Amino acid sequence: AAAQRDDLKMIKGIGPRMEKKLNDAGVYTFDQMSRLSPTKLQNILGISKKVVQSSDNFISQAKKFAEDGPEG
């Protein structure tokens, strides 16, 4: 069975290139993304430590989508 895939681009700040990096790392759903540590997310996306705020924000948005659904 094909794994469910969420549109990770619904997360503000995630574009097609970042979504592809996440997919390449095996992250396809908001739930999977919400379980990443900020450091792991930074490593996947290749974003600098200065963008810690963004990775925390991406993770909290992913958690919200995972819990409430994209409609919010």
Side-chain angles (χ1 to χ4, degrees), residues 3-52:
Q4 174 198 351
R5 284 183 179 224
D6 290 324
D7 182 2
L8 300 178
K9 296 184 301 298
M10 290 185 70
I11 294 174
K12 191 174 194 293
I14 299 283
R17 288 210 335 257
M18 281 189 180
E19 185 182 49
K20 183 177 185 331
K21 286 181 181 183
L22 287 161
N23 291 169
D24 289 348
V27 179
Y28 299 100
T29 67
F30 298 127
D31 186 55
Q32 288 173 315
M33 190 171 166
S34 73
R35 295 169 194 275
L36 294 173
S37 69
T39 305
K40 177 82 173 151
L41 184 61
Q42 288 167 4
N43 290 340
I44 291 170
L45 297 179
I47 54 180
S48 72
K49 298 287 184 253
K50 287 184 232 163
V51 197
V52 172

